[in-house]
Tab-separated table of all heavy atoms in Angstrom:
chain	number	residue	atom	x	y	z
A	282	CYS	N	-10.957	-5.467	19.805
A	282	CYS	CA	-11.624	-4.231	20.210
A	282	CYS	C	-12.996	-4.512	20.810
A	282	CYS	O	-13.646	-5.519	20.505
A	282	CYS	CB	-11.787	-3.293	19.015
A	282	CYS	SG	-10.219	-2.809	18.257
A	283	ASP	N	-13.425	-3.606	21.648
A	283	ASP	CA	-14.748	-3.701	22.255
A	283	ASP	C	-15.763	-3.049	21.319
A	283	ASP	O	-16.336	-2.006	21.616
A	283	ASP	CB	-14.752	-3.009	23.619
A	283	ASP	CG	-16.070	-3.183	24.357
A	283	ASP	OD1	-16.865	-4.058	23.947
A	283	ASP	OD2	-16.309	-2.437	25.322
A	284	CYS	N	-15.957	-3.672	20.175
A	284	CYS	CA	-16.879	-3.158	19.162
A	284	CYS	C	-17.798	-4.294	18.732
A	284	CYS	O	-17.523	-4.970	17.726
A	284	CYS	CB	-16.128	-2.604	17.952
A	284	CYS	SG	-15.074	-1.199	18.317
A	285	PRO	N	-18.855	-4.561	19.482
A	285	PRO	CA	-19.718	-5.692	19.148
A	285	PRO	C	-20.349	-5.542	17.776
A	285	PRO	O	-20.822	-4.481	17.401
A	285	PRO	CB	-20.787	-5.646	20.253
A	285	PRO	CG	-20.781	-4.224	20.742
A	285	PRO	CD	-19.360	-3.768	20.613
A	286	LEU	N	-20.313	-6.634	17.015
A	286	LEU	CA	-20.910	-6.615	15.681
A	286	LEU	C	-21.285	-8.041	15.317
A	286	LEU	O	-20.427	-8.908	15.204
A	286	LEU	CB	-19.918	-6.063	14.653
A	286	LEU	CG	-20.437	-5.895	13.228
A	286	LEU	CD1	-21.489	-4.802	13.162
A	286	LEU	CD2	-19.307	-5.588	12.265
A	287	GLY	N	-22.584	-8.271	15.144
A	287	GLY	CA	-23.061	-9.578	14.724
A	287	GLY	C	-23.558	-9.516	13.296
A	287	GLY	O	-23.467	-8.494	12.633
A	288	ARG	N	-24.088	-10.634	12.816
A	288	ARG	CA	-24.603	-10.695	11.461
A	288	ARG	C	-25.990	-11.308	11.448
A	288	ARG	O	-26.276	-12.257	12.173
A	288	ARG	CB	-23.678	-11.531	10.564
A	288	ARG	CG	-22.402	-10.823	10.149
A	288	ARG	CD	-21.750	-11.581	9.003
A	288	ARG	NE	-20.492	-11.004	8.588
A	288	ARG	CZ	-20.367	-9.978	7.769
A	288	ARG	NH1	-21.438	-9.393	7.284
A	288	ARG	NH2	-19.181	-9.524	7.413
A	289	VAL	N	-26.847	-10.748	10.606
A	289	VAL	CA	-28.169	-11.305	10.365
A	289	VAL	C	-28.074	-12.178	9.123
A	289	VAL	O	-27.667	-11.693	8.062
A	289	VAL	CB	-29.219	-10.190	10.145
A	289	VAL	CG1	-30.580	-10.800	9.846
A	289	VAL	CG2	-29.279	-9.264	11.361
A	290	PRO	N	-28.444	-13.472	9.196
A	290	PRO	CA	-28.361	-14.333	8.005
A	290	PRO	C	-29.272	-13.831	6.895
A	290	PRO	O	-30.352	-13.282	7.151
A	290	PRO	CB	-28.836	-15.701	8.530
A	290	PRO	CG	-28.684	-15.638	10.012
A	290	PRO	CD	-28.917	-14.196	10.382
A	291	LEU	N	-28.840	-14.004	5.654
A	291	LEU	CA	-29.665	-13.616	4.517
A	291	LEU	C	-30.941	-14.456	4.490
A	291	LEU	O	-30.916	-15.650	4.765
A	291	LEU	CB	-28.901	-13.802	3.207
A	291	LEU	CG	-27.667	-12.924	2.998
A	291	LEU	CD1	-27.038	-13.237	1.649
A	291	LEU	CD2	-28.029	-11.453	3.077
A	292	ALA	N	-32.056	-13.825	4.160
A	292	ALA	CA	-33.342	-14.519	4.066
A	292	ALA	C	-34.246	-13.732	3.137
A	292	ALA	O	-34.524	-12.567	3.382
A	292	ALA	CB	-33.993	-14.651	5.443
A	293	SER	N	-34.687	-14.368	2.059
A	293	SER	CA	-35.514	-13.660	1.088
A	293	SER	C	-36.963	-14.115	1.083
A	293	SER	O	-37.771	-13.608	0.326
A	293	SER	CB	-34.932	-13.835	-0.326
A	293	SER	OG	-34.749	-15.197	-0.627
A	294	SER	N	-37.316	-15.080	1.938
A	294	SER	CA	-38.699	-15.556	1.980
A	294	SER	C	-39.192	-15.611	3.415
A	294	SER	O	-38.396	-15.654	4.369
A	294	SER	CB	-38.808	-16.948	1.351
A	294	SER	OG	-38.145	-17.917	2.154
A	295	ALA	N	-40.505	-15.629	3.575
A	295	ALA	CA	-41.102	-15.717	4.912
A	295	ALA	C	-40.701	-17.020	5.594
A	295	ALA	O	-40.478	-17.057	6.807
A	295	ALA	CB	-42.624	-15.609	4.800
A	296	ARG	N	-40.589	-18.081	4.817
A	296	ARG	CA	-40.213	-19.380	5.385
A	296	ARG	C	-38.801	-19.334	5.964
A	296	ARG	O	-38.553	-19.815	7.089
A	296	ARG	CB	-40.298	-20.465	4.318
A	296	ARG	CG	-39.947	-21.860	4.825
A	296	ARG	CD	-40.057	-22.894	3.708
A	296	ARG	NE	-39.707	-24.208	4.182
A	296	ARG	CZ	-38.450	-24.664	4.292
A	296	ARG	NH1	-37.447	-23.869	3.931
A	296	ARG	NH2	-38.207	-25.884	4.742
A	297	GLU	N	-37.864	-18.747	5.211
A	297	GLU	CA	-36.494	-18.639	5.703
A	297	GLU	C	-36.423	-17.805	6.975
A	297	GLU	O	-35.712	-18.152	7.920
A	297	GLU	CB	-35.598	-18.011	4.632
A	297	GLU	CG	-35.212	-18.952	3.506
A	297	GLU	CD	-34.256	-18.302	2.543
A	297	GLU	OE1	-34.560	-17.184	2.092
A	297	GLU	OE2	-33.210	-18.894	2.246
A	298	ARG	N	-37.152	-16.706	6.993
A	298	ARG	CA	-37.138	-15.847	8.186
A	298	ARG	C	-37.711	-16.574	9.388
A	298	ARG	O	-37.225	-16.429	10.513
A	298	ARG	CB	-37.909	-14.554	7.909
A	298	ARG	CG	-37.220	-13.633	6.914
A	298	ARG	CD	-37.819	-12.237	6.918
A	298	ARG	NE	-39.187	-12.229	6.440
A	298	ARG	CZ	-39.536	-12.135	5.176
A	298	ARG	NH1	-38.605	-12.061	4.230
A	298	ARG	NH2	-40.809	-12.113	4.811
A	299	MET	N	-38.753	-17.386	9.162
A	299	MET	CA	-39.355	-18.139	10.262
A	299	MET	C	-38.378	-19.180	10.802
A	299	MET	O	-38.228	-19.338	12.019
A	299	MET	CB	-40.633	-18.817	9.784
A	299	MET	CG	-41.343	-19.611	10.883
A	299	MET	SD	-42.821	-20.450	10.283
A	299	MET	CE	-42.053	-21.719	9.254
A	300	VAL	N	-37.703	-19.896	9.891
A	300	VAL	CA	-36.734	-20.912	10.316
A	300	VAL	C	-35.608	-20.281	11.131
A	300	VAL	O	-35.198	-20.806	12.165
A	300	VAL	CB	-36.157	-21.656	9.085
A	300	VAL	CG1	-34.968	-22.526	9.483
A	300	VAL	CG2	-37.241	-22.512	8.435
A	301	GLN	N	-35.114	-19.130	10.671
A	301	GLN	CA	-34.031	-18.461	11.393
A	301	GLN	C	-34.484	-17.966	12.761
A	301	GLN	O	-33.738	-18.038	13.740
A	301	GLN	CB	-33.480	-17.317	10.547
A	301	GLN	CG	-32.701	-17.807	9.332
A	301	GLN	CD	-32.371	-16.710	8.355
A	301	GLN	OE1	-32.603	-15.544	8.644
A	301	GLN	NE2	-31.838	-17.061	7.194
A	302	ALA	N	-35.721	-17.473	12.824
A	302	ALA	CA	-36.255	-17.024	14.111
A	302	ALA	C	-36.354	-18.190	15.080
A	302	ALA	O	-36.044	-18.059	16.274
A	302	ALA	CB	-37.628	-16.382	13.911
A	303	LEU	N	-36.790	-19.352	14.596
A	303	LEU	CA	-36.879	-20.540	15.453
A	303	LEU	C	-35.501	-20.972	15.939
A	303	LEU	O	-35.330	-21.366	17.094
A	303	LEU	CB	-37.549	-21.680	14.687
A	303	LEU	CG	-39.053	-21.519	14.421
A	303	LEU	CD1	-39.547	-22.640	13.503
A	303	LEU	CD2	-39.835	-21.510	15.722
A	304	LYS	N	-34.499	-20.879	15.062
A	304	LYS	CA	-33.142	-21.239	15.458
A	304	LYS	C	-32.625	-20.317	16.555
A	304	LYS	O	-31.968	-20.755	17.501
A	304	LYS	CB	-32.203	-21.178	14.242
A	304	LYS	CG	-32.364	-22.340	13.272
A	304	LYS	CD	-31.367	-22.217	12.128
A	304	LYS	CE	-31.464	-23.392	11.178
A	304	LYS	NZ	-30.508	-23.267	10.044
A	305	ARG	N	-32.923	-19.008	16.407
A	305	ARG	CA	-32.471	-18.053	17.428
A	305	ARG	C	-33.126	-18.339	18.767
A	305	ARG	O	-32.475	-18.331	19.811
A	305	ARG	CB	-32.776	-16.617	16.991
A	305	ARG	CG	-31.847	-16.069	15.922
A	305	ARG	CD	-31.965	-14.556	15.816
A	305	ARG	NE	-33.322	-14.134	15.527
A	305	ARG	CZ	-33.818	-14.006	14.307
A	305	ARG	NH1	-33.073	-14.292	13.256
A	305	ARG	NH2	-35.056	-13.597	14.127
A	306	ARG	N	-34.435	-18.585	18.728
A	306	ARG	CA	-35.158	-18.793	19.987
A	306	ARG	C	-34.796	-20.121	20.651
A	306	ARG	O	-34.746	-20.222	21.875
A	306	ARG	CB	-36.670	-18.736	19.721
A	306	ARG	CG	-37.147	-17.343	19.342
A	306	ARG	CD	-38.630	-17.315	19.043
A	306	ARG	NE	-39.080	-15.978	18.652
A	306	ARG	CZ	-40.318	-15.693	18.296
A	306	ARG	NH1	-41.257	-16.645	18.268
A	306	ARG	NH2	-40.642	-14.450	17.950
A	307	SER	N	-34.562	-21.137	19.839
A	307	SER	CA	-34.232	-22.445	20.402
A	307	SER	C	-32.767	-22.547	20.807
A	307	SER	O	-32.394	-23.428	21.595
A	307	SER	CB	-34.539	-23.541	19.375
A	307	SER	OG	-33.669	-23.439	18.257
A	308	GLY	N	-31.943	-21.668	20.262
A	308	GLY	CA	-30.508	-21.728	20.544
A	308	GLY	C	-29.785	-22.787	19.740
A	308	GLY	O	-28.631	-23.120	20.026
A	309	ALA	N	-30.451	-23.338	18.714
A	309	ALA	CA	-29.855	-24.427	17.941
A	309	ALA	C	-28.564	-23.992	17.252
A	309	ALA	O	-27.574	-24.727	17.247
A	309	ALA	CB	-30.861	-24.936	16.906
A	310	SER	N	-28.564	-22.800	16.657
A	310	SER	CA	-27.368	-22.330	15.945
A	310	SER	C	-26.214	-22.100	16.918
A	310	SER	O	-25.066	-22.464	16.628
A	310	SER	CB	-27.686	-21.032	15.190
A	310	SER	OG	-28.653	-21.254	14.193
A	311	ALA	N	-26.529	-21.492	18.066
A	311	ALA	CA	-25.483	-21.246	19.065
A	311	ALA	C	-24.919	-22.555	19.595
A	311	ALA	O	-23.704	-22.687	19.815
A	311	ALA	CB	-26.052	-20.412	20.219
A	312	LEU	N	-25.804	-23.551	19.797
A	312	LEU	CA	-25.344	-24.863	20.285
A	312	LEU	C	-24.442	-25.533	19.260
A	312	LEU	O	-23.402	-26.109	19.615
A	312	LEU	CB	-26.550	-25.753	20.586
A	312	LEU	CG	-26.230	-27.182	21.044
A	312	LEU	CD1	-25.411	-27.161	22.326
A	312	LEU	CD2	-27.516	-27.998	21.211
A	313	LYS	N	-24.808	-25.426	17.994
A	313	LYS	CA	-23.991	-26.029	16.934
A	313	LYS	C	-22.598	-25.405	16.902
A	313	LYS	O	-21.596	-26.112	16.779
A	313	LYS	CB	-24.699	-25.859	15.591
A	313	LYS	CG	-23.984	-26.529	14.433
A	313	LYS	CD	-24.774	-26.364	13.138
A	313	LYS	CE	-24.056	-27.033	11.969
A	313	LYS	NZ	-24.833	-26.869	10.715
Side-chain angles (χ1 to χ4, degrees):
C282 300
D283 185 15
C284 297
L286 184 68
R288 284 194 183 278
V289 178
L291 295 180
S293 54
S294 68
R296 181 180 179 278
E297 284 184 309
R298 291 194 294 273
M299 181 182 70
V300 169
Q301 290 169 8
L303 289 173
K304 285 182 178 179
R305 284 195 302 272
R306 291 178 181 178
S307 67
S310 296
L312 177 60
K313 184 178 180 180

